[in-house]
Amino acid sequence: QGAGIVGVIAFFVLSGYLITNVLVGDIERHRKIRYGRFYAHRAFRLVPALVSLLGVYAIVELATDVLGDRSKGIVGYTVLAGLGYLKDLPLPFDVSMAIGPLWTLAVEEQFYLIWPALLVLALRRNRQGRLIGWSAAVALFLMSASVLAMVTLAPQLHSLVYALPTTWGLGLIIGSALRLYRVHVFSWFTGRWPRRAALLGSVAVLAALIFFPKANETPAFMFIGGPLAMAASAVLVALAGSRTAVMPKWTRPVQLLGTVSYAAYLWNYAVILWLNGGSTADLPPFIAVSAIVVTLLIAVISWHTVERLGRIARARFDQHYSARHYPDRQQSGSAASRHG
């Protein structure tokens, strides 16, 4: 169970790095962030698979009520929370366990409603350091306030505090800082032995956390274990980002898993619940293996169907966007293709 905590931490650090990389690239090439294109790309990538999950969930529950969600009257609320990226927030209504993991997606998307504008302002004024420092300070303050409120008022609400965006803002900021200062950070890992030591040390930190599945229920995790694991994840991202050699062939299966990982993330929890009668506890081995197989099968189908439609729509959007905003480039490209 502790592996889930490690996965969440690594996800947020990597996400902060990758999306900030996209934003910085836009600024370097166009001296601005093309907000319409950025958010359109996010939608084309995320929404098709998400809508598919929520649509199938609604059909299954309304038709069979496997999880009892139809009887509870929460199918509509669940779809609303999923589509609205609200799962990480305290809601005035109940939602299904089937979309439990979507809180991480909600945290990420809420962060990217704020971060692009702050980033472009900081880069224009060459104040990246201040942006990272103040953002980290605000994230730590809000997290401290929420943890303090939990400890003094409602200790049983640890799971609610764990999923709040304020708890994970620091991980996203660490990933973003790594991208902004990657030239400097990558220089720390130029030698063979420093790279090996960093790899072993960061893996050891994250592996140790796996053996504490309830660590996220303690305030110590929020202030010590979590930031330490975020730093270890940042080291792994730096080691990967500064790598120059081609990835070995034996990693190909892992790369393929990464390709379909978004749909696997969306579907896995719902698949487990449906196969195990509405519970994720005490999974029989056959159910556990079946859930993995079914999840991967659905993820592959999703990649080649609804997610493929999203990629096609994104390509067409880019063509329309370029023709509208950069007509000179479009004409020169057409001329080059005619004379090529």
Side-chain angles (χ1 to χ4, degrees):
Q1 290 181 332
I5 301 175
V6 174
V8 165
I9 293 171
F11 163 75
F12 283 122
V13 174
L14 181 59
S15 178
Y17 179 90
L18 293 175
I19 296 297
T20 298
N21 185 59
V22 171
L23 296 171
V24 169
D26 219 17
I27 294 172
E28 290 175 346
R29 286 189 296 269
H30 302 282
R31 303 177 65 93
K32 64 179 181 179
I33 292 176
R34 296 172 295 174
Y35 291 100
R37 184 176 182 274
F38 172 73
Y39 290 115
H41 273 214
R42 298 298 297 161
F44 287 130
R45 177 67 186 98
L46 299 177
V47 171
L50 178 62
V51 169
S52 298
L53 165 70
L54 296 173
V56 171
Y57 157 78
I59 292 171
V60 170
E61 285 305 303
L62 291 175
T64 66
D65 203 22
V66 176
L67 305 180
D69 293 346
R70 184 185 66 192
S71 302
K72 299 174 187 174
I74 63 173
V75 174
Y77 291 130
T78 299
V79 173
L80 174 63
L83 289 177
Y85 296 102
L86 302 173
K87 186 61 184 67
D88 60 326
L89 302 175
L91 298 173
F93 47 80
D94 292 331
V95 298
S96 175
M97 290 178 60
I99 66 164
L102 294 192
W103 69 266
T104 58
L105 184 63
V107 169
E108 182 191 39
E109 294 311 299
Q110 290 160 10
F111 181 76
Y112 297 129
L113 290 176
I114 303 172
W115 188 247
L118 294 177
L119 180 63
V120 70
L121 183 63
L123 289 176
R124 283 176 178 174
R125 300 182 178 183
N126 197 26
R127 295 289 188 269
Q128 302 94 299
R130 290 188 180 183
L131 170 65
I132 297 298
W134 279 106
S135 298
V138 170
L140 285 171
F141 172 78
L142 294 175
M143 182 189 71
S144 301
S146 62
V147 172
L148 180 62
M150 176 194 73
V151 171
T152 57
L153 301 177
Q156 73 278 10
L157 295 182
H158 56 81
S159 60
L160 176 61
V161 173
Y162 178 73
L164 288 176
T166 50
T167 303
W168 298 103
L170 183 62
L172 289 158
I173 292 166
I174 288 176
S176 300
L178 179 60
R179 170 55 186 89
L180 292 174
Y181 295 99
R182 67 178 181 181
V183 174
H184 180 67
V185 174
F186 286 2
S187 67
W188 301 346
F189 307 105
T190 53
R192 182 177 181 182
W193 289 109
R195 290 181 68 86
R196 287 189 174 184
L199 176 63
L200 292 175
S202 57
V203 169
V205 169
L206 296 175
L209 189 58
I210 291 176
F211 296 98
F212 298 94
K214 295 186 178 180
N216 58 330
E217 299 179 9
T218 64
F221 168 80
M222 305 291 185
F223 296 104
I224 301 175
L228 184 62
M230 291 174 189
S233 297
V235 170
L236 291 180
V237 174
L239 290 173
S242 60
R243 181 184 176 89
T244 56
V246 177
M247 294 295 291
K249 291 183 178 180
W250 64 265
T251 64
R252 184 58 178 167
V254 183
Q255 295 178 48
L256 292 174
L257 177 61
T259 300
V260 300
S261 61
Y262 174 54
Y265 149 80
L266 290 177
W267 283 92
N268 183 240
Y269 213 64
V271 167
I272 292 174
L273 290 170
W274 283 330
L275 291 179
N276 200 45
S279 173
T280 60
D282 301 322
L283 293 180
F286 177 76
I287 296 295
V289 174
S290 298
I292 293 174
V293 173
V294 172
T295 297
L296 291 177
L297 179 61
I298 294 175
V300 170
I301 294 173
S302 175
W303 174 256
H304 289 287
T305 56
V306 292
E307 292 177 75
R308 180 174 179 271
L309 292 176
R311 294 191 295 273
I312 293 173
R314 182 176 63 183
R316 292 181 177 177
F317 169 84
D318 284 343
Q319 291 177 353
H320 175 75
Y321 188 94
S322 297
R324 180 178 179 182
H325 294 275
Y326 310 104
D328 294 339
R329 295 183 187 179
Q330 195 80 359
Q331 292 173 3
S332 62
S334 299
S337 64
R338 288 195 301 269
H339 293 86

